[in-house]
Each structure stands twice: as structure tokens, then as C-alpha cells.
Amino acid sequence: MWLFALPALLINICIILVPAVLTFTAAFFIWDGVGTPMWAGLANFQNMVADPVFWSALTNNFIWTAIFLTVPVCLALVMAAALLMAPKARIVVQSIIFLPRIIAVAVTGRIFQGMIFSPATGIVAWLNEHGFSISDPLADPDRSLYAVAAVDIWHWWGFLAVVFLSAMRQISVDQIEAARLDGAGFFALFRHVLIPGIRPTLTLMLILTVIWSFQVFEFIFIVTRGGPAYGSEVLATFAYRHAFFEGDVGQAAAAACVMSLFGLCATAVYLWLQITDDAQST
Amino acid sequence: MTMTRRQLVASIPAAALAAGLPRGATAQDGRKVVTFWFGQANSDGQAALRNDLVEAFNASQDKYLLQLEVKGAAVNNLLKVALVAGNGPDIVQTAGPAYLTAIANAGQVLPLDDFAEKYKWKDRFLAPLLNTSVYGGKLYALPRDYESMHLFYNKELFKQNGWKLPTNRKEMEEVADAALAKGIIPFGAGNADWKGVNEWLMTVFFNNVAGPDNVRKALAGELPWTAPPFVEAVELSKAWYNKGYFGKNYFSLTIEQSFLQVVNSKAAMAFSGTWSFGTKSYGMSKPDTVMDVMPTPTLGSAFSGSLVHLACGATLSIAKTSQNAEGAAAVFEFMLTRKFYETMNRDWPGKWALPVKDLPPDMLQGIGYPLFEKTIANLHEAFSKGQYGFTTWTFWPGATNSYLIEGIEQVWLNKITPDAYLTRMQTLFSQEAKEGKVPPLPPRTA
């Protein structure tokens, strides 16, 4: 039996486990990326904890996680349920809401930066010219994280909706019809039939959202590079800056370890839920 | 020599093969390949690189074949990884001495002293720039250009409003306030696409407020960054930002958008670098009726007059693992020819202004770009005499410079005080100085 898993296991060891172990090891060294690494013990972790930017980045990761566990998930659930009830509109609407997902992240980022938020060339500029005093949210350290999150939500929620719709379509039609005959309205159906019916998919997407939220990088790097004034800094941009601008690979590796720690916690929760489900079903 | 269509078609596979050849390889015609990675280049720049460097070099001799790859903005990161893995290009171009330091300290590039003796490079290059690449008595790179921050201004706007060119802080603020009163942005500036704009401005504030001698002392470890002249410099930058001198949209405008504000009379002035001459879309024509440029005046009491800032935007080295070091050196020597200097500066002004004594700026008089000619001539003279300030991207070590760029936003947006900013900078600088990461400092004269 184990022989069947061997090829996949070997590939994973080579391209996942070895780099992961090397990254973990690098966190205990001072290394500029080209010279000879020097043992540092826990110094990289101590420096990281003493750096206020690290705490600000970590806080931003938690805020990001909270946003993505709620806003796109709620939007996607409601849209999926609506599409389930309206099969004729399904193909057209699915195509439209899925579209942002297939546009390259860099393109989406630039569109929002230059054509929507920009006070020179964007919708914000047009609104200002027509009497609405609106400033670019990307230029405000207190709003930039939320502005980038809005871009990512636009890119993400349609995909989630399609996934939830696929899961909802697996629910027995008889069960939905029975609920309707019992007088259940849209929200009662949603709460008592659809949500419980897609619980495994919902749980998986929520867990993955936590993992992805602690790895978020592309949109923030493209749109704000973590600024202004570290306003949208997250652990990944913190690590990138240390590795590639400051020549401090050890510090970057320490930040990467923290990112992985949250991913591991989320994975552990998922495995525990799976085991609990298996135990209940047997 | 003209080629027939058949010869041209037949040469395409050979050219494609040569373009994909690994380092140390030999091309089909027996020439040894020299590989060179370049970072960002606009379309004009890429055409200039192909025509004036690659094709001209390859046509100049029959021993070596130069192969160029434009790698984009991530070239510095790619280069480090490739060098550690032993797969980098033969010619190692970095973004300046501050980037070279780590690579040279790690022994990833060859000392060039033998080639320097053979080609008399030490006699030919301007000493202040060449010395920024000397570590432990050995030369590890050649400077590719000289740069400086300058004050670009809309001379039409100045004329229309009767503004005089400022010679000190008071006069500068008078012009800025007059511009603000008329709804004109005093300084066109924006960092939406490149946070390094922050350090362009801070180079001006540190040098032109605190004075170049104090900056040199701080870089030499003889004066802390928390000293009063630097506090004054940071406080002035904050005061100007908060007064709106850099406009309301500093964090939202790209470099190009902000510079065009000056060209289009929406802004009066801009602190920008000599590289600006190479961007045609900035609208500076040859010769120019709208724009003009001058060295940045003093903004403090540390000195009077104006100041240029010593910068090297790129260094050229040879990889330790290069199997064709002679070929790479031959490319360098080709770059020092008069023909290359003239064609490259004509086609891509500001990018390849080699700081070489026997390539004086008056050679550029024929290219028909008076603003560029006068600026380079001024730089050549000031650098030759040792009269300059110090740019952050050339002399500040990596982590300190990164914090200089990121942290100043916290000061301008009232998240931290100037004292807290400078204290953190001093902590990082002390650590990097202890680790030998501060690039070599050239002497300067008053």
C-alpha cells in the first residue's frame, strides 16, 4: 500500500519538506543571502518581537483573516443560494462573478490602483471633479489595508460562490422541496437546509481562508507594498522586505515560521474536525 | 555589409541558439559567450541596449559574443540567488555600491585589479566614484554612471509669476508658499510606483539641511544620526510634507504623473535625479522651452550655495564563477570608447554617463540636449573637485536605507516622532557598521 504513496511522498519531501526545514533552520542564522550564515540562536525571533512593525503586521493579518472569514463568505453563500433557486440565471451570473478570478492578480491590482482609487486617473478623481471630496484610501495608513482587502474580496468572492453553489447542488432536491412544502422561506431554507448541507465544504473553505490569510502577499505587494507608513504591512511583506531589501534572510525566515505556525494551527483544527466527523458517522 | 533575405533567415536560428547559450559556452561562430543581465529598461532603453551595446560590441571584434537578458525589476534578487547557486551571468550589474557591498564581501565577484592595470582603469575613472567599489584594497566593480538629485523647475511658470530661483531655504519657502497660494503644487512628487522616491527626498533633506560634512561624519560613525542637524533635516521634511509642499496625493501618484505636473504647470518644481533625462515621456524636449534644472540650493545653515549629490546608480563586476572574465572585461573596455559613450547618451541620456576622465561631458555637445549637457558637465566638475553630498542609495547600508525609506512615511503621517525615527536608524546603522556593511566613503572637499 505504502508503495503507491511513495512517488507523491518523495516529491513532497523534496519540494516541500526540505525547503521548509531549510527555512526553519535559516531562522536561527544571520545571513545576508550571499555570504556565510552565522549562528544567531533566538536573536532573529527576539529582534522580531522587539520590532513594532512585526506586531502591526501580525495584527493586520488577524484583521485580514476576520474580514475574509466574514465578508466574502457571506456574499458568496447568499449568491450561491440565490443561484440555486434561479437556475436560468445561473450560467450567465456564474460567468460574470467568476471573471475576476481569472484576471491576473497584477492586472487586477493595477486596475484598482490606477482606474478606481487614483486621484489622478481613477473614479476617485472623477468624483472629486464632480463635487465629492473623496481621498484615495490606498494613501491613508488607517484605510489602506481595508482598501486592498476590498480589491481581493472582489477577486475572491465569486470563486467562493461557485464552490458553494456546486456543494449546494449536491443537496437532495427532495429535502429542499420538503422544506418549502413545510413553509420555509429563503432565509429559513438557507439556515436550516443549505448551510448544514454544505457544512464540510464550508468548513474546508473557512480553514483554507485562515491559511491563505496568513500567507496573503500579492495584492498587498502590488497595490501598496505594505504602506503607507506600514499601514497595510502583513507578515509576508514584512518577510519579503527583510529578505530582499534589507539583506536579512534570517529575520525573514523567522517571520515565515510565524506565518506557518498559524497555518499549522488551522490545519490541525481541520484534521480534528474531520476525525470528529468520522467518529460521529461510524 | 548588407545581408540577403536568405542569409537573414538562416541567421535567425543561430541568433536564437546564441541567445540561449549558457555561461562559458561557445557560439556557433567560435566566439566565447559573455552573459549580462539587465534590470528595468523602457522601450527606448532596450533598443539602445541592443543597438549601441550588444550589436556594436559584437560587431567590434571576433573573440566574444555578448548576450543580454533584460530581467525586470526583480533582477537584484535573482542575481543574489543565481550567484550563490553559481549560475549568475558573467557581468554582474548591481544597483550601486550599497548593493555591491554584500556581494563583494561574500566573494561572489572577482577583484578587477589585474584588468584595471591592463586597461588603466584606475587612471581613467573619477576617483570618488571608483573608490566606492574598493574593499580591502581591492577593486571589485566599475561605476556605470554618475547621478545626482537636482531641482527641476518649470521656467515658464517662474517667469509668469515673477518668481526668482531660490538660493536658500527662506527663498525656497517663499516660492513654495506663493505657488500654494495660487493653487500650484510647489514640488511635484509621488511614490505610488516606487517607494524609493522617499529616499530621493531624504537625500536632499539630509545633505542640504544637515550639510554634507555632517552626513559624511555620520556615515563614518563619527556623529550619531540622532544629532541635532539630522533632527532639523527630518523635522523640515515633515513640516514641508504637512504644509502640502508635495501635494495632497504623494502616496497616490506615480513618478511619471508627478513629474508631468511640473511639465504641465500644475507644479512648480521637482526634486528628481539625473536619470529623469532618459525618460522621453517626461516631456523634456531638446532643447527645452518649458523645463530647466539646477543643483539643489542649501536648505540649512551648514553651507551656502548649492550642492550636487554623489551617486552611482549601477556598478559592473565580473562573477567569481565566470568562465569568460576576459570577455567581460573586454565589454567594459568597449563601454569606455568614445563612440559608445556618444551613441548611448544620445539614445538613452542619463543612464550610461560613464564617470571617465577621458570621456569629458563636452563630448555630449553634439547630442543636442542642452539641459542634460549642462547637468553632466556640472556633475563632472563637482565630482572631480570632491564637492558633493552623499546619496542614500549609494552610501547607506541595506537595512538602514530600507528603514530610511519606510520609516519616514511614519514621520510624515504623524505615526512616530523624528527623534524615534532617527533613534531606530542609528540602531540599525550601528549594527550594520559593526558588520562591515557600510560602503566605502570617498573624501570630500569644501
Side-chain angles (χ1 to χ4, degrees), chain A residues 39-111:
Chain A
W39 176 253
L42 292 172
N44 286 324
F45 290 94
Q46 286 164 344
N47 291 339
M48 188 171 69
V49 170
D51 185 350
V53 178
F54 164 74
W55 291 106
S56 154
L58 187 62
T59 306
N60 283 342
N61 271 109
F62 277 110
I63 293 171
W64 189 275
T65 308
I67 291 171
F68 276 80
L69 283 176
T70 51
V71 180
V73 172
C74 292
L75 282 173
L77 281 171
V78 172
M79 177 57 85
L83 289 177
L84 189 73
M85 306 299 165
K88 284 184 183 169
R90 206 178 282 163
I91 292 176
V92 175
V93 176
Q94 272 192 108
S95 306
I96 293 169
I97 62 173
F98 196 79
L99 194 65
R101 184 67 194 165
I102 59 171
I103 299 174
V105 171
V107 175
T108 305
R110 290 293 182 203
I111 287 172

Side-chain angles (χ1 to χ4, degrees), chain B residues 27 38 48 61 78 90 100 135 148 158 160 198 215 231 240 246 360 376 383 386 417 439:
Chain B
F38 197 83
Q61 44 70 53
L78 289 173
D90 293 298
L100 174 71
Y135 300 85
S148 170
F158 269 67
Q160 284 165 18
N198 298 357
V215 170
V231 176
W240 279 22
F246 301 115
I376 292 297
F383 290 172
T417 63

Side-chain angles (χ1 to χ4, degrees), chain B residues 55 61 107 195 233 259 264 311 327 332 372 424:
Chain B
E55 287 180 20
Q61 44 70 53
K195 272 183 181 279
F259 199 95
N264 297 330
F332 294 169
F372 179 60
R424 173 81 175 146

Side-chain angles (χ1 to χ4, degrees), chain B residues 60 137 147 221 352 404 424:
Chain B
S60 71
E147 298 175 338
W352 230 286
L404 178 140
R424 173 81 175 146

